Amino acid sequence: MTMARIRRTDGTDGVLPGRFDPADTDKWRTALTCIEPNKILVRGYPLDEIMGRLTFGETIYLLLMGEVPSPSIGSLMEAILVSFIDHGATPPSTLAARNTATTGAPLRACVAAGVLGFGRFHGGDIESCMQFLDAGLELVRGGVTYKDAAFTLLQKYFDSEEPIPGFGHRFHTRDPRAARLFQIALELEVEGGHIQMIRAVELTINELPDGRHLPVNIDGAIAAVCGDIGIPPAVANALFIISRVPGITAQALEERNRERPMRQIDPKDHLYDGAGQRRVPDKRR
Amino acid sequence: MTMARIRRTDGTDGVLPGRFDPADTDKWRTALTCIEPNKILVRGYPLDEIMGRLTFGETIYLLLMGEVPSPSIGSLMEAILVSFIDHGATPPSTLAARNTATTGAPLRACVAAGVLGFGRFHGGDIESCMQFLDAGLELVRGGVTYKDAAFTLLQKYFDSEEPIPGFGHRFHTRDPRAARLFQIALELEVEGGHIQMIRAVELTINELPDGRHLPVNIDGAIAAVCGDIGIPPAVANALFIISRVPGITAQALEERNRERPMRQIDPKDHLYDGAGQRRVPDKRR
Amino acid sequence: MTMARIRRTDGTDGVLPGRFDPADTDKWRTALTCIEPNKILVRGYPLDEIMGRLTFGETIYLLLMGEVPSPSIGSLMEAILVSFIDHGATPPSTLAARNTATTGAPLRACVAAGVLGFGRFHGGDIESCMQFLDAGLELVRGGVTYKDAAFTLLQKYFDSEEPIPGFGHRFHTRDPRAARLFQIALELEVEGGHIQMIRAVELTINELPDGRHLPVNIDGAIAAVCGDIGIPPAVANALFIISRVPGITAQALEERNRERPMRQIDPKDHLYDGAGQRRVPDKRR
Amino acid sequence: MTMARIRRTDGTDGVLPGRFDPADTDKWRTALTCIEPNKILVRGYPLDEIMGRLTFGETIYLLLMGEVPSPSIGSLMEAILVSFIDHGATPPSTLAARNTATTGAPLRACVAAGVLGFGRFHGGDIESCMQFLDAGLELVRGGVTYKDAAFTLLQKYFDSEEPIPGFGHRFHTRDPRAARLFQIALELEVEGGHIQMIRAVELTINELPDGRHLPVNIDGAIAAVCGDIGIPPAVANALFIISRVPGITAQALEERNRERPMRQIDPKDHLYDGAGQRRVPDKRR
């Protein structure tokens, strides 16, 4: 019996102070961006060459995943990032940003407050949905049909208060973003097992005698698509944060521009007075 | 003489408690995103129609400015957003994010800590450079040449400790991102007075007998380009925050994945061990 | 004419990369807390000796000001820190914390979001009020009476939208905390010029023909008291942040314990259901 | 089989939009602070009466726990809050705050960045240590001796990489704050089962043949003391955040006052140049 493997409670390991720790004399390493005088390489590519050649969405993929995405995966990245960009004035993260803005705080403080509100119940669903789908796919690999795997996955939610990861929405009975993301994945031919699995789960829920429809939400759709294109859960979670920052920023700017300082913000008590519904121009490139 | 216009120190106006304030009974308004059951309109466009038709960069422009950008301005947006995406492991904002990551904090806390580090001396230069250039353009509109306006603008910096907004860089003697952004603006034919003005200032600095070159930095280039395409300073500032979030996110993820918890992060003591220099594939769309 | 004094826009000075900068080889310094193995000295005092001998409030003063406070100033510190500890559920900083809590974010994220809401219009008044009072005291030192100095100070606010720093409150027509803080300062015999000055301003406002009472608020009272006991504006501002953190923490904890996740928080739509009014026990030590 | 209990993934329950939800029409409630015009009641006590009668530490207890602490528990609160107030310039949370300060960000942004660094490995130990001790106390209540309970608790850490909650420190082989906190608890006669339990664990570790001493750290001491005076884990965790905020604030202020902007902060490369070691004056009240 030895205590040699005991690690300190702060996560560092148990070398006593004063002892020589060779790890400390080594340089630490980064593989993201190389900075030299007058040169910036992002994952090996000169940043000034990336400018004008890759879109922001493609460069985000490059930075997070290490390689330039294929055209299909690049298009899917844009769609994923766009899908989450804003959801109006009522999400708690947006309200945290607006409540910060009304105190006269600088824009970056408002954005930070908003980002902190991507908590367990808000955006945190992508990672748990990926695990949920992976559990189903393991059953499928073991010889079970998607349908049966879905029924098995749902089993433990029948008499539980637990939400089904990736299903249901506060406002929407059918999430238009999820449907569109699946359609784009189909068109780009990147659909794989995760999308099949989540569809099997949705079908199974909707066939239950209870008769209630519980739609795939955008978290679920992103989880399934990310699973199929090989984006790991931690990166999928990062995409969620990145995609919503523009929305939070726009909401904080609007709060500063349109409202009086130190107001009491009732989320339910607002009206939309922006542009009426219009058609998106055709793709230009 | 009356005190009627005295406003309370919290910025609200001086109506005493208990008095009827009609403004409070009105609903407050937002023009960004309209949420109805199963429908999300961003600036009037159904979000599911935007997906697959506009890029993330174009949708950011739409959200912040209210309209879909022209193809040229859309391309410029992508270049601006890409130009700032990351600058290695040493910016203080990145170090704030890495120091937060090493404590085991969740990703969103690391991102928020990083965003808070976009302080006065870091990214705050875009807005002051836009004002600097606007002051020069007013002289030009009054009949002065760009060259003379530049010399007048620089006057007050000759014997001052003040930095010239948009010029100079900690690492680079020539900022490759700035040069590339000007080139793209030229190719897209969106170059205007702000770019001319900042170039006149650069030329004037470099002709000074002191012989030292002080290059336009990326803050200055973004300020000039945003000025020429009609993006107001507050929105240009927002673009800076949005563009660097992916970099901060990637750095925090790398800290979590590669380093031991609770380490002491010396910014100078690191090595780049990522991909070697390589060429960006040609534009694919 | 030389450019030698030009500083880079990031605030560092203009030594070109590659040049030797002796400042970089020096160690940086801190005068706050000395850490050696098994020893922690806060401003020179062993932390384990401080424990049990100084209160938290006295130790805060020690840490920020460098010396153990006198008993009178220690008591005043406690009163200042207590005065700001909470102001119910409606301040925007508190709402930012509650909106973050409702997303399931960890407690520290809620506290950070709340702290970010101490913006220009909320708590930022202490520093500007100290400058306002200092301007008046300079007039007094020049031979003017407090009354006349007050009238001169108020001059520029008569026809302006600007709030008078340290006066007026959203809810209260008489701020009970301000009155009590002045009383304690009087009892402890630490009253000085700043308190005299703010009282002269209050009197002058209340004698105006307009007939409206605009009370000193707690920001103003803290500004005056801090001025009289030699606490500089930046430290007074720090005291505000420190004093409100327990309130924000308690509000975030209550949100997590009592409310359902992802709720829409209307600040006006709440009731107090806690302990009824009761008397504070006599001082016990 | 029914889906009636399925909850939405955002944590709200599954009532479809458009249905009447009586909970929404009710007012929400708070038991912390009652605000009426010219009256502020904290847990029922007028805030202006608390001022001058309770210390900041006692008022923090009142706010979090609902009642004025007994004199003994009040003294212990002060000691707990003091014990954590600062730990020099090298904790990652402090470095996050200093890295934010060097960018020119406002004080509140620096404090928020610091608070975000109270992550899993830094301060997060209090809660897990309380659970660890509670597990031991349950064995004791079942008839086992403290010694045997300690040995059972330690069992699973012998061949594991897991740190023992509340034990070990990066710098100290004996944590002076922990020893002092136990001494104060003893003097105030509030020592109970949790302190006995943690001492039994410490003794057991130190008697192991390996011969290495792994001391109780301050997280462990606070966990044990809070357990014995009935403070629940979530509130103990809140105390940690509250107690370190003054330290982070002081460090950020010092960074702004003493150092040049945008510097590269190497945590290892600093010197203490403050007051030499001195004796704390005797208790003054």
Side-chain angles (χ1 to χ4, degrees):
Chain A
M1 189 180 65
T2 160
M3 296 294 285
R5 295 201 212 159
I6 281 179
R7 178 171 286 190
R8 290 202 204 86
T9 53
D10 58 4
T12 62
D13 43 58
V15 185
L16 293 180
R19 289 212 192 158
F20 175 71
D21 181 357
D24 280 344
T25 67
D26 282 342
K27 292 187 180 297
W28 57 277
R29 283 141 204 278
T30 177
L32 297 172
T33 301
C34 173
I35 306 290
E36 291 174 17
N38 305 335
K39 193 190 249 185
I40 303 165
L41 303 180
V42 172
R43 298 290 197 172
Y45 298 108
L47 186 49
D48 49 325
E49 285 188 25
I50 299 174
M51 292 167 65
R53 288 193 181 82
L54 300 183
T55 63
F56 187 42
E58 290 167 329
T59 314
I60 292 170
Y61 182 95
L62 168 65
L63 190 58
L64 293 173
M65 298 291 289
E67 298 297 334
V68 173
S70 73
S72 292
I73 289 184
S75 295
L76 210 53
M77 272 296 290
E78 304 286 356
I80 290 172
L81 290 165
V82 164
S83 72
F84 236 101
I85 199 166
D86 195 47
H87 198 267
T90 65
S93 56
T94 303
L95 289 164
R98 281 189 175 264
N99 272 294
T100 305
T102 196
T103 69
L107 184 61
R108 55 189 172 269
C110 307
V111 174
V115 167
L116 293 173
F118 299 153
R120 191 156 43 105
F121 302 116
H122 181 31
D125 211 27
I126 294 172
E127 201 161 342
S128 52
C129 184
M130 286 179 90
Q131 289 157 351
F132 175 78
L133 298 176
D134 280 335
L137 286 174
E138 202 158 314
L139 296 176
V140 170
R141 276 189 296 273
V144 176
T145 66
Y146 279 94
K147 193 95 206 268
D148 287 346
F151 198 84
T152 306
L153 287 182
L154 285 170
Q155 212 76 281
K156 72 164 185 168
Y157 295 93
F158 286 158
D159 288 306
S160 135
E161 291 285 319
E162 277 293 294
I164 305 176
F167 285 85
H169 195 277
R170 273 189 309 153
F171 284 103
H172 308 301
T173 53
R174 177 185 166 279
D175 192 321
R177 303 164 295 182
R180 176 73 173 133
L181 194 58
F182 289 143
Q183 182 197 347
I184 292 173
L186 183 71
E187 286 171 7
L188 293 170
E189 300 182 359
V190 296
E191 224 188 31
H194 293 81
I195 294 180
Q196 262 184 281
M197 192 72 245
I198 206 167
R199 281 188 159 151
V201 174
E202 188 177 34
L203 201 68
T204 308
I205 293 173
N206 292 344
E207 287 173 1
L208 290 172
D210 168 85
R212 188 175 296 170
H213 290 270
L214 203 64
V216 179
N217 59 33
I218 184 64
D219 297 49
I222 289 178
V225 169
C226 284
D228 278 352
I229 63 176
I231 292 180
V235 174
N237 187 19
L239 289 181
F240 168 67
I241 296 174
I242 292 168
S243 68
R244 183 56 64 87
V245 163
I248 281 180
T249 307
Q251 297 273 348
L253 281 175
E254 193 188 53
E255 179 69 31
R256 287 152 62 109
N257 291 338
R258 294 191 72 172
E259 303 292 337
R260 66 182 164 85
M262 292 300 283
R263 74 182 180 105
Q264 299 274 298
I265 306 175
D266 173 4
K268 285 173 294 234
D269 194 38
H270 77 282
L271 284 176
Y272 173 76
D273 68 351
Q277 186 164 346
R278 42 186 176 167
R279 292 192 62 82
V280 183
D282 283 336
K283 202 170 180 172
R284 274 103 29 101
R285 27 183 206 160
Chain B
M1 191 180 63
T2 160
M3 295 293 284
R5 294 198 212 160
I6 281 178
R7 177 172 288 190
R8 289 203 205 87
T9 53
D10 58 3
T12 61
D13 42 57
V15 184
L16 294 180
R19 288 209 193 163
F20 175 71
D21 180 358
D24 280 344
T25 66
D26 283 343
K27 291 186 181 298
W28 59 277
R29 283 142 205 278
T30 177
L32 297 173
T33 301
C34 173
I35 307 291
E36 290 174 16
N38 306 335
K39 193 192 249 185
I40 303 164
L41 303 179
V42 171
R43 297 292 197 171
Y45 299 107
L47 186 49
D48 51 325
E49 285 190 23
I50 298 174
M51 292 167 65
R53 289 192 179 83
L54 301 184
T55 63
F56 187 42
E58 290 167 327
T59 314
I60 291 169
Y61 183 95
L62 168 65
L63 190 56
L64 293 173
M65 299 290 291
E67 297 297 333
V68 173
S70 73
S72 293
I73 289 185
S75 296
L76 210 54
M77 272 295 291
E78 304 286 356
I80 290 172
L81 289 165
V82 165
S83 72
F84 235 101
I85 199 166
D86 196 46
H87 198 267
T90 66
S93 56
T94 303
L95 289 165
R98 280 189 176 264
N99 272 293
T100 306
T102 197
T103 69
L107 184 60
R108 55 190 172 268
C110 308
V111 174
V115 167
L116 292 173
F118 299 153
R120 194 156 40 104
F121 301 115
H122 182 31
D125 212 28
I126 295 171
E127 200 161 341
S128 51
C129 184
M130 286 179 90
Q131 289 158 352
F132 175 79
L133 298 176
D134 280 335
L137 286 174
E138 202 158 314
L139 296 176
V140 169
R141 278 190 295 272
V144 176
T145 66
Y146 279 94
K147 194 94 205 271
D148 287 347
F151 197 83
T152 305
L153 286 183
L154 285 170
Q155 212 74 282
K156 72 164 184 169
Y157 294 93
F158 286 158
D159 289 306
S160 135
E161 291 285 320
E162 278 292 294
I164 305 176
F167 284 85
H169 195 278
R170 274 188 308 152
F171 284 104
H172 307 302
T173 52
R174 178 184 165 279
D175 192 322
R177 303 164 293 182
R180 177 73 172 133
L181 195 58
F182 289 142
Q183 184 198 347
I184 292 173
L186 183 72
E187 286 171 7
L188 294 169
E189 300 182 359
V190 295
E191 223 189 31
H194 293 81
I195 293 180
Q196 260 185 280
M197 192 70 245
I198 206 167
R199 280 185 160 156
V201 174
E202 190 178 33
L203 201 68
T204 307
I205 292 173
N206 292 345
E207 286 173 0
L208 289 173
D210 168 85
R212 189 174 295 169
H213 290 270
L214 203 66
V216 179
N217 59 32
I218 184 64
D219 297 50
I222 290 178
V225 169
C226 283
D228 278 352
I229 63 176
I231 292 179
V235 174
N237 187 21
L239 290 182
F240 167 68
I241 296 174
I242 293 167
S243 68
R244 182 56 63 86
V245 163
I248 281 179
T249 307
Q251 297 274 348
L253 281 175
E254 192 189 55
E255 179 70 31
R256 287 151 61 110
N257 291 338
R258 294 191 71 171
E259 305 292 337
R260 66 184 163 85
M262 292 301 282
R263 75 182 180 105
Q264 299 273 298
I265 305 175
D266 174 3
K268 284 173 295 233
D269 193 38
H270 76 282
L271 283 176
Y272 173 76
D273 69 351
Q277 186 164 347
R278 43 186 176 168
R279 291 192 60 82
V280 184
D282 284 335
K283 202 170 180 172
R284 275 101 29 101
R285 26 183 206 161
Chain C
M1 189 180 64
T2 161
M3 296 294 285
R5 294 200 212 158
I6 281 178
R7 177 172 286 191
R8 289 201 207 89
T9 53
D10 57 5
T12 62
D13 42 57
V15 185
L16 294 180
R19 288 211 193 160
F20 175 70
D21 180 358
D24 281 343
T25 67
D26 282 343
K27 291 187 180 296
W28 58 278
R29 284 141 204 279
T30 177
L32 297 172
T33 300
C34 173
I35 306 290
E36 290 173 15
N38 306 336
K39 193 191 249 185
I40 303 165
L41 303 179
V42 171
R43 298 290 197 173
Y45 299 108
L47 186 48
D48 50 327
E49 285 189 24
I50 299 174
M51 291 167 65
R53 289 191 180 85
L54 300 183
T55 63
F56 186 41
E58 289 167 328
T59 314
I60 291 169
Y61 182 95
L62 168 65
L63 190 57
L64 292 173
M65 298 291 289
E67 298 297 334
V68 173
S70 73
S72 292
I73 290 185
S75 296
L76 210 54
M77 271 296 291
E78 304 285 357
I80 290 172
L81 288 165
V82 164
S83 71
F84 235 101
I85 200 166
D86 196 47
H87 198 267
T90 65
S93 56
T94 303
L95 289 164
R98 280 189 175 264
N99 272 295
T100 306
T102 196
T103 69
L107 184 60
R108 55 190 171 268
C110 308
V111 174
V115 167
L116 292 174
F118 300 152
R120 192 155 41 105
F121 302 115
H122 181 29
D125 212 25
I126 294 173
E127 200 161 340
S128 52
C129 184
M130 286 180 91
Q131 289 157 352
F132 175 78
L133 298 176
D134 280 335
L137 286 174
E138 202 158 312
L139 296 175
V140 169
R141 277 191 295 273
V144 175
T145 65
Y146 280 93
K147 194 95 206 269
D148 287 347
F151 197 84
T152 306
L153 287 182
L154 285 171
Q155 212 76 282
K156 72 163 186 170
Y157 295 92
F158 286 158
D159 288 307
S160 135
E161 292 284 321
E162 278 293 295
I164 304 177
F167 284 85
H169 195 278
R170 272 188 310 153
F171 283 103
H172 308 300
T173 53
R174 176 186 166 278
D175 192 322
R177 303 164 294 181
R180 177 73 174 133
L181 195 58
F182 289 142
Q183 183 198 347
I184 292 173
L186 183 71
E187 287 171 7
L188 294 170
E189 300 182 1
V190 296
E191 223 189 31
H194 293 81
I195 294 179
Q196 261 185 280
M197 192 71 245
I198 207 168
R199 281 187 161 150
V201 174
E202 189 177 33
L203 202 68
T204 308
I205 292 172
N206 292 344
E207 286 173 1
L208 290 173
D210 168 86
R212 188 176 296 170
H213 290 271
L214 203 65
V216 179
N217 60 32
I218 184 63
D219 297 49
I222 289 178
V225 169
C226 284
D228 279 352
I229 63 176
I231 292 180
V235 175
N237 187 20
L239 290 182
F240 168 68
I241 296 174
I242 293 167
S243 66
R244 182 57 62 87
V245 163
I248 281 179
T249 307
Q251 297 273 350
L253 281 175
E254 193 188 54
E255 179 70 31
R256 286 151 63 109
N257 292 337
R258 295 191 71 171
E259 304 292 338
R260 66 183 164 83
M262 292 300 283
R263 75 182 180 104
Q264 299 274 298
I265 306 175
D266 174 2
K268 286 173 293 234
D269 193 37
H270 76 283
L271 283 176
Y272 173 76
D273 68 350
Q277 187 164 347
R278 41 185 176 168
R279 291 192 60 83
V280 183
D282 283 336
K283 202 171 180 172
R284 276 105 25 103
R285 25 182 208 163
Chain D
M1 191 178 66
T2 160
M3 296 293 286
R5 294 201 213 160
I6 281 178
R7 175 172 287 190
R8 289 201 205 89
T9 53
D10 58 3
T12 61
D13 42 58
V15 185
L16 293 180
R19 287 210 193 161
F20 175 70
D21 180 357
D24 280 343
T25 67
D26 281 343
K27 291 187 181 297
W28 59 277
R29 284 141 204 278
T30 178
L32 297 173
T33 301
C34 173
I35 306 290
E36 290 174 15
N38 305 335
K39 193 191 248 184
I40 303 164
L41 302 179
V42 171
R43 296 292 197 172
Y45 299 108
L47 186 48
D48 50 327
E49 285 189 22
I50 299 174
M51 290 166 66
R53 288 191 180 83
L54 301 183
T55 63
F56 187 42
E58 290 167 328
T59 314
I60 291 169
Y61 183 95
L62 168 64
L63 190 56
L64 293 172
M65 298 291 289
E67 297 297 335
V68 173
S70 73
S72 293
I73 289 185
S75 296
L76 210 54
M77 271 296 290
E78 304 285 356
I80 290 172
L81 289 165
V82 164
S83 71
F84 236 101
I85 199 166
D86 196 47
H87 198 266
T90 65
S93 56
T94 304
L95 289 164
R98 280 190 176 263
N99 272 294
T100 306
T102 197
T103 69
L107 185 60
R108 55 190 171 268
C110 307
V111 174
V115 166
L116 292 173
F118 299 153
R120 194 156 40 104
F121 302 115
H122 181 31
D125 212 28
I126 294 171
E127 200 160 342
S128 52
C129 185
M130 287 179 89
Q131 289 158 352
F132 176 78
L133 299 176
D134 280 335
L137 286 174
E138 202 157 313
L139 295 175
V140 170
R141 276 191 296 272
V144 176
T145 65
Y146 279 94
K147 193 95 206 269
D148 288 347
F151 198 84
T152 306
L153 286 183
L154 285 171
Q155 211 76 284
K156 73 163 184 169
Y157 295 93
F158 286 158
D159 289 307
S160 135
E161 291 284 319
E162 278 292 293
I164 305 176
F167 284 85
H169 196 277
R170 273 189 309 151
F171 284 103
H172 308 302
T173 53
R174 178 185 166 278
D175 192 322
R177 304 164 293 181
R180 176 74 173 132
L181 195 58
F182 288 143
Q183 183 198 348
I184 292 173
L186 183 71
E187 286 171 8
L188 293 170
E189 300 182 0
V190 295
E191 224 188 31
H194 293 80
I195 293 179
Q196 261 185 280
M197 192 70 245
I198 205 166
R199 280 186 160 152
V201 174
E202 189 178 33
L203 201 67
T204 308
I205 293 174
N206 291 343
E207 286 174 0
L208 290 173
D210 168 85
R212 190 174 295 169
H213 290 270
L214 202 65
V216 179
N217 59 31
I218 184 64
D219 297 50
I222 290 179
V225 169
C226 284
D228 279 351
I229 64 177
I231 291 180
V235 175
N237 187 21
L239 290 182
F240 168 68
I241 296 174
I242 293 168
S243 67
R244 182 55 63 86
V245 163
I248 280 180
T249 307
Q251 299 272 350
L253 282 175
E254 193 189 55
E255 179 69 31
R256 286 151 63 109
N257 292 337
R258 294 191 71 171
E259 304 292 338
R260 66 185 163 83
M262 292 301 281
R263 75 181 180 105
Q264 299 275 298
I265 305 175
D266 174 2
K268 285 174 294 233
D269 192 38
H270 77 283
L271 284 175
Y272 173 76
D273 69 350
Q277 186 164 348
R278 43 185 177 169
R279 291 192 62 82
V280 183
D282 283 336
K283 203 170 179 172
R284 275 100 29 100
R285 27 183 206 161

